[in-house]
Amino acid sequence: MYFNNLKNKIINNKVKIGIIGLGYVGLPLSIKFTQKNISVVGFDIDKKLVSTLNNGKFHLKTINKIFMNNKFKKNFSATTNFSKISDVDVIIICVPTPLKKDKKPDLSFLKNTIKNIEKYLVHGQLISLESTTYPGTTKEELFPFIKNAGFDIGENFFLVYSPEREDPGNSNFHTGNIPKVLGGITPNCSKIGLALYEQVISELVEVKDTS
């Protein structure tokens, strides 16, 4: 039931997407979905950034102002209120994971995001991790978190890993035409993830899982 409901929403452009982290990964992805008339709610802890976007301005120089058009304004809103996670069908996590001094990724932003959304998750949602981190992060951090919250992954909740591949400022390659890798925790997760990104990405490369 949950699988078919979510897939039908995606295919018919009735899906509502929440993108967490509105930097050089999250904002271009938001733009791509809104240009397909898909509703996007952008989440960020930066109040000034949220206000800037809601006032019709971009904060990134690599974003062409041509995209601040009627489709974006109609289909996008930004907020710092994570309780609105309950209102979206898809959650795409694009928070930074910078390297620490020991060259290991700093997962503090991801872990804080998990805490922020934990009590607002509902049945039938998809989470896609796009943050630049090692592949095992999905199984180590998100999988146990969702499972402990009482969800059956692959049946009433879906989880995929699709690492961001951005080249900011490149006029030849952008979010829509850079080949994108995707792997799901289960086959159902992969199918839902592929259906979602097929709406805005021209080439997808499916791998067997999130590892």
Side-chain angles (χ1 to χ4, degrees):
M1 178 182 73
Y2 292 105
F3 175 85
N4 288 332
N5 285 346
L6 183 53
K7 188 173 181 180
N8 286 335
K9 282 184 178 182
I10 291 170
I11 292 172
N12 295 307
N13 277 14
K14 301 296 183 183
V15 68
K16 190 170 187 178
I17 298 174
I19 295 182
I20 303 176
L22 298 173
Y24 76 94
V25 177
L27 185 56
L29 190 59
S30 298
I31 292 170
K32 291 297 294 184
F33 281 115
T34 60
Q35 301 312 298
K36 294 289 185 177
N37 286 317
I38 295 173
S39 178
V40 175
V41 179
F43 294 86
D44 206 285
I45 59 174
D46 187 332
K47 293 180 179 180
K48 184 177 179 180
L49 184 156
V50 165
S51 178
T52 296
L53 289 170
N54 285 334
N55 285 328
K57 298 178 181 178
F58 286 149
H59 60 290
L60 298 176
K61 293 181 180 179
T62 54
I63 302 294
N64 194 322
K65 291 183 178 180
I66 193 173
F67 291 114
M68 187 60 81
N69 55 27
N70 289 335
K71 283 188 177 181
F72 182 81
K73 292 176 181 177
K74 174 185 176 184
N75 296 309
F76 178 86
S77 63
T79 183
T80 59
N81 183 2
F82 282 83
S83 69
K84 292 187 177 181
I85 284 292
S86 297
D87 299 329
V88 303
D89 304 296
V90 173
I91 302 159
I92 302 177
I93 301 176
C94 302
V95 297
T97 50
L99 292 179
K100 298 184 291 186
K101 290 182 178 180
D102 60 4
K103 303 301 181 182
K104 294 181 180 180
D106 180 356
L107 299 182
S108 60
F109 291 98
L110 175 60
K111 291 180 178 181
N112 286 334
T113 295
I114 290 173
K115 291 178 182 178
N116 285 336
I117 67 176
E118 182 175 10
K119 60 183 178 181
Y120 303 118
L121 298 178
V122 296
H123 287 92
Q125 288 178 317
L126 162 70
I127 287 182
S128 174
L129 176 61
E130 283 215 21
S131 297
T132 306
T133 181
Y134 59 93
T137 306
T138 310
K139 282 186 178 179
E140 293 173 12
E141 299 294 336
L142 286 167
F143 178 78
F145 151 68
I146 295 169
K147 197 171 181 63
N148 290 338
F151 295 104
D152 186 357
I153 298 175
E155 296 297 329
N156 60 26
F157 206 96
F158 308 95
L159 177 61
V160 301
Y161 176 51
S162 184
E164 62 90 358
R165 299 187 69 195
E166 285 293 326
D167 191 0
N170 190 321
S171 58
N172 295 316
F173 292 96
H174 52 77
T175 301
N177 67 7
I178 297 176
K180 190 164 181 56
V181 175
L182 181 143
I185 290 290
T186 71
N188 273 352
C189 293
S190 292
K191 290 175 185 176
I192 285 291
L194 290 170
L196 174 70
Y197 285 106
E198 280 173 355
Q199 307 305 308
V200 293
I201 307 295
S202 59
E203 183 179 351
L204 291 166
V205 180
E206 182 183 5
V207 294
K208 65 177 182 178
D209 57 29
T210 60
S211 300

PDB file of all heavy atoms in Angstrom, residues 6 9 15-19 39-43 83-92 120-126:
ATOM      1  N   LEU A   6       3.130   6.019  -2.698  1.00  0.00           N
ATOM      2  CA  LEU A   6       4.228   6.959  -2.893  1.00  0.00           C
ATOM      3  C   LEU A   6       4.674   6.982  -4.348  1.00  0.00           C
ATOM      4  O   LEU A   6       4.910   8.059  -4.921  1.00  0.00           O
ATOM      5  CB  LEU A   6       5.405   6.608  -1.975  1.00  0.00           C
ATOM      6  CG  LEU A   6       6.615   7.543  -2.022  1.00  0.00           C
ATOM      7  CD1 LEU A   6       6.198   8.988  -1.802  1.00  0.00           C
ATOM      8  CD2 LEU A   6       7.655   7.125  -0.995  1.00  0.00           C
ATOM      9  N   LYS A   9       2.245   8.996  -6.409  1.00  0.00           N
ATOM     10  CA  LYS A   9       2.417  10.429  -6.165  1.00  0.00           C
ATOM     11  C   LYS A   9       3.595  10.974  -6.970  1.00  0.00           C
ATOM     12  O   LYS A   9       3.514  12.062  -7.555  1.00  0.00           O
ATOM     13  CB  LYS A   9       2.644  10.702  -4.674  1.00  0.00           C
ATOM     14  CG  LYS A   9       1.404  10.662  -3.818  1.00  0.00           C
ATOM     15  CD  LYS A   9       1.753  11.048  -2.381  1.00  0.00           C
ATOM     16  CE  LYS A   9       0.531  11.065  -1.494  1.00  0.00           C
ATOM     17  NZ  LYS A   9       0.858  11.486  -0.104  1.00  0.00           N
ATOM     18  N   VAL A  15       3.790  14.498  -5.529  1.00  0.00           N
ATOM     19  CA  VAL A  15       4.643  14.293  -4.373  1.00  0.00           C
ATOM     20  C   VAL A  15       5.091  15.636  -3.800  1.00  0.00           C
ATOM     21  O   VAL A  15       5.248  16.621  -4.524  1.00  0.00           O
ATOM     22  CB  VAL A  15       5.866  13.424  -4.768  1.00  0.00           C
ATOM     23  CG1 VAL A  15       6.791  14.174  -5.713  1.00  0.00           C
ATOM     24  CG2 VAL A  15       6.624  12.929  -3.551  1.00  0.00           C
ATOM     25  N   LYS A  16       5.288  15.664  -2.492  1.00  0.00           N
ATOM     26  CA  LYS A  16       5.804  16.863  -1.820  1.00  0.00           C
ATOM     27  C   LYS A  16       7.162  16.501  -1.226  1.00  0.00           C
ATOM     28  O   LYS A  16       7.277  15.546  -0.459  1.00  0.00           O
ATOM     29  CB  LYS A  16       4.843  17.332  -0.724  1.00  0.00           C
ATOM     30  CG  LYS A  16       5.188  18.699  -0.153  1.00  0.00           C
ATOM     31  CD  LYS A  16       4.065  19.201   0.745  1.00  0.00           C
ATOM     32  CE  LYS A  16       4.322  20.634   1.190  1.00  0.00           C
ATOM     33  NZ  LYS A  16       3.196  21.154   2.028  1.00  0.00           N
ATOM     34  N   ILE A  17       8.174  17.276  -1.591  1.00  0.00           N
ATOM     35  CA  ILE A  17       9.553  16.945  -1.224  1.00  0.00           C
ATOM     36  C   ILE A  17      10.099  17.924  -0.195  1.00  0.00           C
ATOM     37  O   ILE A  17       9.944  19.136  -0.333  1.00  0.00           O
ATOM     38  CB  ILE A  17      10.446  16.956  -2.482  1.00  0.00           C
ATOM     39  CG1 ILE A  17       9.963  15.894  -3.476  1.00  0.00           C
ATOM     40  CG2 ILE A  17      11.909  16.722  -2.112  1.00  0.00           C
ATOM     41  CD1 ILE A  17      10.679  15.929  -4.798  1.00  0.00           C
ATOM     42  N   GLY A  18      10.745  17.384   0.820  1.00  0.00           N
ATOM     43  CA  GLY A  18      11.450  18.209   1.795  1.00  0.00           C
ATOM     44  C   GLY A  18      12.948  18.038   1.598  1.00  0.00           C
ATOM     45  O   GLY A  18      13.444  16.909   1.604  1.00  0.00           O
ATOM     46  N   ILE A  19      13.648  19.136   1.389  1.00  0.00           N
ATOM     47  CA  ILE A  19      15.096  19.084   1.201  1.00  0.00           C
ATOM     48  C   ILE A  19      15.770  19.793   2.368  1.00  0.00           C
ATOM     49  O   ILE A  19      15.540  20.985   2.602  1.00  0.00           O
ATOM     50  CB  ILE A  19      15.494  19.720  -0.145  1.00  0.00           C
ATOM     51  CG1 ILE A  19      14.910  18.883  -1.296  1.00  0.00           C
ATOM     52  CG2 ILE A  19      17.024  19.824  -0.261  1.00  0.00           C
ATOM     53  CD1 ILE A  19      15.264  19.376  -2.678  1.00  0.00           C
ATOM     54  N   SER A  39       6.194  20.247  -5.722  1.00  0.00           N
ATOM     55  CA  SER A  39       6.252  21.087  -4.524  1.00  0.00           C
ATOM     56  C   SER A  39       7.451  20.724  -3.652  1.00  0.00           C
ATOM     57  O   SER A  39       7.674  19.555  -3.344  1.00  0.00           O
ATOM     58  CB  SER A  39       4.958  20.908  -3.726  1.00  0.00           C
ATOM     59  OG  SER A  39       4.992  21.679  -2.541  1.00  0.00           O
ATOM     60  N   VAL A  40       8.217  21.742  -3.257  1.00  0.00           N
ATOM     61  CA  VAL A  40       9.414  21.535  -2.437  1.00  0.00           C
ATOM     62  C   VAL A  40       9.370  22.445  -1.208  1.00  0.00           C
ATOM     63  O   VAL A  40       9.098  23.643  -1.317  1.00  0.00           O
ATOM     64  CB  VAL A  40      10.705  21.839  -3.229  1.00  0.00           C
ATOM     65  CG1 VAL A  40      11.928  21.746  -2.320  1.00  0.00           C
ATOM     66  CG2 VAL A  40      10.847  20.892  -4.416  1.00  0.00           C
ATOM     67  N   VAL A  41       9.641  21.852  -0.049  1.00  0.00           N
ATOM     68  CA  VAL A  41       9.838  22.625   1.181  1.00  0.00           C
ATOM     69  C   VAL A  41      11.310  22.501   1.544  1.00  0.00           C
ATOM     70  O   VAL A  41      11.821  21.393   1.724  1.00  0.00           O
ATOM     71  CB  VAL A  41       8.971  22.099   2.342  1.00  0.00           C
ATOM     72  CG1 VAL A  41       9.229  22.931   3.601  1.00  0.00           C
ATOM     73  CG2 VAL A  41       7.502  22.124   1.974  1.00  0.00           C
ATOM     74  N   GLY A  42      12.008  23.625   1.612  1.00  0.00           N
ATOM     75  CA  GLY A  42      13.422  23.623   1.972  1.00  0.00           C
ATOM     76  C   GLY A  42      13.587  23.846   3.464  1.00  0.00           C
ATOM     77  O   GLY A  42      12.987  24.767   4.025  1.00  0.00           O
ATOM     78  N   PHE A  43      14.371  23.011   4.109  1.00  0.00           N
ATOM     79  CA  PHE A  43      14.612  23.122   5.550  1.00  0.00           C
ATOM     80  C   PHE A  43      16.062  23.524   5.795  1.00  0.00           C
ATOM     81  O   PHE A  43      16.984  22.964   5.190  1.00  0.00           O
ATOM     82  CB  PHE A  43      14.351  21.783   6.246  1.00  0.00           C
ATOM     83  CG  PHE A  43      12.921  21.334   6.211  1.00  0.00           C
ATOM     84  CD1 PHE A  43      12.431  20.623   5.128  1.00  0.00           C
ATOM     85  CD2 PHE A  43      12.069  21.622   7.263  1.00  0.00           C
ATOM     86  CE1 PHE A  43      11.113  20.198   5.088  1.00  0.00           C
ATOM     87  CE2 PHE A  43      10.744  21.199   7.241  1.00  0.00           C
ATOM     88  CZ  PHE A  43      10.264  20.490   6.146  1.00  0.00           C
ATOM     89  N   SER A  83       9.014  20.611  12.245  1.00  0.00           N
ATOM     90  CA  SER A  83       7.764  19.871  12.444  1.00  0.00           C
ATOM     91  C   SER A  83       7.035  19.675  11.119  1.00  0.00           C
ATOM     92  O   SER A  83       6.213  18.762  10.978  1.00  0.00           O
ATOM     93  CB  SER A  83       6.849  20.607  13.435  1.00  0.00           C
ATOM     94  OG  SER A  83       6.347  21.811  12.883  1.00  0.00           O
ATOM     95  N   LYS A  84       7.368  20.496  10.118  1.00  0.00           N
ATOM     96  CA  LYS A  84       6.738  20.377   8.800  1.00  0.00           C
ATOM     97  C   LYS A  84       7.238  19.161   8.024  1.00  0.00           C
ATOM     98  O   LYS A  84       6.737  18.880   6.933  1.00  0.00           O
ATOM     99  CB  LYS A  84       6.960  21.659   8.001  1.00  0.00           C
ATOM    100  CG  LYS A  84       6.216  22.860   8.579  1.00  0.00           C
ATOM    101  CD  LYS A  84       6.327  24.078   7.679  1.00  0.00           C
ATOM    102  CE  LYS A  84       5.518  25.244   8.253  1.00  0.00           C
ATOM    103  NZ  LYS A  84       5.586  26.440   7.380  1.00  0.00           N
ATOM    104  N   ILE A  85       8.217  18.448   8.582  1.00  0.00           N
ATOM    105  CA  ILE A  85       8.661  17.196   7.981  1.00  0.00           C
ATOM    106  C   ILE A  85       7.478  16.234   7.848  1.00  0.00           C
ATOM    107  O   ILE A  85       7.411  15.425   6.911  1.00  0.00           O
ATOM    108  CB  ILE A  85       9.792  16.563   8.821  1.00  0.00           C
ATOM    109  CG1 ILE A  85      11.117  17.310   8.587  1.00  0.00           C
ATOM    110  CG2 ILE A  85       9.945  15.075   8.528  1.00  0.00           C
ATOM    111  CD1 ILE A  85      11.702  17.143   7.195  1.00  0.00           C
ATOM    112  N   SER A  86       6.535  16.296   8.775  1.00  0.00           N
ATOM    113  CA  SER A  86       5.362  15.413   8.736  1.00  0.00           C
ATOM    114  C   SER A  86       4.504  15.649   7.505  1.00  0.00           C
ATOM    115  O   SER A  86       3.699  14.784   7.136  1.00  0.00           O
ATOM    116  CB  SER A  86       4.509  15.618   9.995  1.00  0.00           C
ATOM    117  OG  SER A  86       5.217  15.272  11.155  1.00  0.00           O
ATOM    118  N   ASP A  87       4.651  16.805   6.867  1.00  0.00           N
ATOM    119  CA  ASP A  87       3.801  17.171   5.736  1.00  0.00           C
ATOM    120  C   ASP A  87       4.371  16.735   4.386  1.00  0.00           C
ATOM    121  O   ASP A  87       3.701  16.874   3.364  1.00  0.00           O
ATOM    122  CB  ASP A  87       3.593  18.693   5.702  1.00  0.00           C
ATOM    123  CG  ASP A  87       2.913  19.213   6.959  1.00  0.00           C
ATOM    124  OD1 ASP A  87       2.116  18.458   7.550  1.00  0.00           O
ATOM    125  OD2 ASP A  87       3.181  20.364   7.341  1.00  0.00           O
ATOM    126  N   VAL A  88       5.615  16.240   4.368  1.00  0.00           N
ATOM    127  CA  VAL A  88       6.242  15.897   3.081  1.00  0.00           C
ATOM    128  C   VAL A  88       6.251  14.382   2.880  1.00  0.00           C
ATOM    129  O   VAL A  88       6.148  13.605   3.828  1.00  0.00           O
ATOM    130  CB  VAL A  88       7.672  16.467   2.973  1.00  0.00           C
ATOM    131  CG1 VAL A  88       7.653  17.978   3.169  1.00  0.00           C
ATOM    132  CG2 VAL A  88       8.614  15.802   3.973  1.00  0.00           C
ATOM    133  N   ASP A  89       6.377  13.982   1.620  1.00  0.00           N
ATOM    134  CA  ASP A  89       6.423  12.564   1.275  1.00  0.00           C
ATOM    135  C   ASP A  89       7.857  12.049   1.169  1.00  0.00           C
ATOM    136  O   ASP A  89       8.117  10.875   1.400  1.00  0.00           O
ATOM    137  CB  ASP A  89       5.734  12.334  -0.073  1.00  0.00           C
ATOM    138  CG  ASP A  89       4.309  12.852  -0.094  1.00  0.00           C
ATOM    139  OD1 ASP A  89       3.481  12.324   0.674  1.00  0.00           O
ATOM    140  OD2 ASP A  89       4.030  13.798  -0.870  1.00  0.00           O
ATOM    141  N   VAL A  90       8.752  12.941   0.786  1.00  0.00           N
ATOM    142  CA  VAL A  90      10.156  12.589   0.558  1.00  0.00           C
ATOM    143  C   VAL A  90      11.047  13.551   1.334  1.00  0.00           C
ATOM    144  O   VAL A  90      10.798  14.761   1.355  1.00  0.00           O
ATOM    145  CB  VAL A  90      10.503  12.667  -0.940  1.00  0.00           C
ATOM    146  CG1 VAL A  90      11.999  12.469  -1.156  1.00  0.00           C
ATOM    147  CG2 VAL A  90       9.699  11.642  -1.739  1.00  0.00           C
ATOM    148  N   ILE A  91      12.077  13.007   1.975  1.00  0.00           N
ATOM    149  CA  ILE A  91      13.043  13.820   2.717  1.00  0.00           C
ATOM    150  C   ILE A  91      14.417  13.565   2.106  1.00  0.00           C
ATOM    151  O   ILE A  91      14.910  12.433   2.115  1.00  0.00           O
ATOM    152  CB  ILE A  91      13.064  13.428   4.204  1.00  0.00           C
ATOM    153  CG1 ILE A  91      11.674  13.596   4.824  1.00  0.00           C
ATOM    154  CG2 ILE A  91      14.089  14.269   4.962  1.00  0.00           C
ATOM    155  CD1 ILE A  91      11.482  12.776   6.096  1.00  0.00           C
ATOM    156  N   ILE A  92      15.025  14.610   1.558  1.00  0.00           N
ATOM    157  CA  ILE A  92      16.359  14.489   0.971  1.00  0.00           C
ATOM    158  C   ILE A  92      17.339  15.263   1.853  1.00  0.00           C
ATOM    159  O   ILE A  92      17.181  16.472   2.054  1.00  0.00           O
ATOM    160  CB  ILE A  92      16.400  15.026  -0.468  1.00  0.00           C
ATOM    161  CG1 ILE A  92      15.381  14.274  -1.334  1.00  0.00           C
ATOM    162  CG2 ILE A  92      17.806  14.869  -1.056  1.00  0.00           C
ATOM    163  CD1 ILE A  92      15.296  14.778  -2.769  1.00  0.00           C
ATOM    164  N   TYR A 120       8.970  13.569  13.846  1.00  0.00           N
ATOM    165  CA  TYR A 120       8.037  14.050  12.831  1.00  0.00           C
ATOM    166  C   TYR A 120       7.906  13.101  11.638  1.00  0.00           C
ATOM    167  O   TYR A 120       7.160  13.382  10.700  1.00  0.00           O
ATOM    168  CB  TYR A 120       8.463  15.437  12.333  1.00  0.00           C
ATOM    169  CG  TYR A 120       8.574  16.446  13.445  1.00  0.00           C
ATOM    170  CD1 TYR A 120       9.798  17.056  13.749  1.00  0.00           C
ATOM    171  CD2 TYR A 120       7.466  16.779  14.231  1.00  0.00           C
ATOM    172  CE1 TYR A 120       9.905  17.974  14.785  1.00  0.00           C
ATOM    173  CE2 TYR A 120       7.568  17.687  15.269  1.00  0.00           C
ATOM    174  CZ  TYR A 120       8.790  18.285  15.538  1.00  0.00           C
ATOM    175  OH  TYR A 120       8.891  19.196  16.564  1.00  0.00           O
ATOM    176  N   LEU A 121       8.616  11.988  11.666  1.00  0.00           N
ATOM    177  CA  LEU A 121       8.524  11.022  10.571  1.00  0.00           C
ATOM    178  C   LEU A 121       7.175  10.316  10.605  1.00  0.00           C
ATOM    179  O   LEU A 121       6.623  10.045  11.678  1.00  0.00           O
ATOM    180  CB  LEU A 121       9.645   9.992  10.673  1.00  0.00           C
ATOM    181  CG  LEU A 121      11.076  10.530  10.577  1.00  0.00           C
ATOM    182  CD1 LEU A 121      12.072   9.382  10.748  1.00  0.00           C
ATOM    183  CD2 LEU A 121      11.313  11.249   9.261  1.00  0.00           C
ATOM    184  N   VAL A 122       6.656   9.983   9.417  1.00  0.00           N
ATOM    185  CA  VAL A 122       5.368   9.289   9.318  1.00  0.00           C
ATOM    186  C   VAL A 122       5.491   8.137   8.327  1.00  0.00           C
ATOM    187  O   VAL A 122       6.414   8.086   7.506  1.00  0.00           O
ATOM    188  CB  VAL A 122       4.236  10.248   8.879  1.00  0.00           C
ATOM    189  CG1 VAL A 122       4.006  11.327   9.908  1.00  0.00           C
ATOM    190  CG2 VAL A 122       4.539  10.865   7.515  1.00  0.00           C
ATOM    191  N   HIS A 123       4.557   7.205   8.397  1.00  0.00           N
ATOM    192  CA  HIS A 123       4.560   6.058   7.495  1.00  0.00           C
ATOM    193  C   HIS A 123       4.467   6.494   6.042  1.00  0.00           C
ATOM    194  O   HIS A 123       3.776   7.454   5.708  1.00  0.00           O
ATOM    195  CB  HIS A 123       3.388   5.128   7.819  1.00  0.00           C
ATOM    196  CG  HIS A 123       3.565   4.350   9.078  1.00  0.00           C
ATOM    197  ND1 HIS A 123       3.106   4.800  10.284  1.00  0.00           N
ATOM    198  CD2 HIS A 123       4.168   3.152   9.320  1.00  0.00           C
ATOM    199  CE1 HIS A 123       3.392   3.915  11.231  1.00  0.00           C
ATOM    200  NE2 HIS A 123       4.052   2.912  10.671  1.00  0.00           N
ATOM    201  N   GLY A 124       5.171   5.755   5.180  1.00  0.00           N
ATOM    202  CA  GLY A 124       5.083   5.982   3.750  1.00  0.00           C
ATOM    203  C   GLY A 124       6.083   6.968   3.191  1.00  0.00           C
ATOM    204  O   GLY A 124       6.074   7.239   1.987  1.00  0.00           O
ATOM    205  N   GLN A 125       6.971   7.498   4.023  1.00  0.00           N
ATOM    206  CA  GLN A 125       7.953   8.473   3.547  1.00  0.00           C
ATOM    207  C   GLN A 125       9.203   7.782   2.992  1.00  0.00           C
ATOM    208  O   GLN A 125       9.478   6.626   3.287  1.00  0.00           O
ATOM    209  CB  GLN A 125       8.368   9.419   4.678  1.00  0.00           C
ATOM    210  CG  GLN A 125       7.282  10.416   5.081  1.00  0.00           C
ATOM    211  CD  GLN A 125       7.732  11.298   6.237  1.00  0.00           C
ATOM    212  OE1 GLN A 125       8.334  10.832   7.201  1.00  0.00           O
ATOM    213  NE2 GLN A 125       7.419  12.587   6.150  1.00  0.00           N
ATOM    214  N   LEU A 126       9.932   8.537   2.184  1.00  0.00           N
ATOM    215  CA  LEU A 126      11.238   8.124   1.680  1.00  0.00           C
ATOM    216  C   LEU A 126      12.289   9.090   2.192  1.00  0.00           C
ATOM    217  O   LEU A 126      12.087  10.306   2.151  1.00  0.00           O
ATOM    218  CB  LEU A 126      11.247   8.146   0.146  1.00  0.00           C
ATOM    219  CG  LEU A 126      12.624   8.166  -0.554  1.00  0.00           C
ATOM    220  CD1 LEU A 126      13.329   6.830  -0.369  1.00  0.00           C
ATOM    221  CD2 LEU A 126      12.479   8.497  -2.026  1.00  0.00           C
TER     222      LEU A 126
END
